[in-house]
Amino acid sequence: MPILKVIEILATSKNSWEDAAANAVKEASKTVRGIRSCNVQNQSAVVEKGKIVENIINCKISFAIEK
């Protein structure tokens, strides 16, 4: 069984929380290999004039440590 490491990331999107999660994985994959999962911990939004203008997630990304 491989050993996994977990990093915590905050990501945003103007479209949706799902898009924010995709952005988190996309950015993490630029410097991390072997990403296994993205576990969304919290979701929040920035509201201006009664409208959501930005979606924010806090997620934990796990990846295998290479030997």
Side-chain angles (χ1 to χ4, degrees), residues 8-52:
E8 192 167 355
I9 294 179
L10 294 175
T12 64
S13 169
K14 294 189 183 297
N15 300 319
S16 67
W17 285 296
E18 292 86 358
D19 195 38
N23 289 341
V25 172
K26 180 180 176 183
E27 287 300 311
S29 68
K30 290 179 181 178
T31 57
V32 175
R33 291 188 303 269
I35 293 176
R36 299 260 178 123
S37 68
C38 174
N39 182 355
V40 176
Q41 299 289 299
N42 295 314
Q43 300 173 332
S44 60
V46 176
V47 177
E48 292 178 1
K49 298 180 183 175
K51 187 174 179 181
I52 293 175

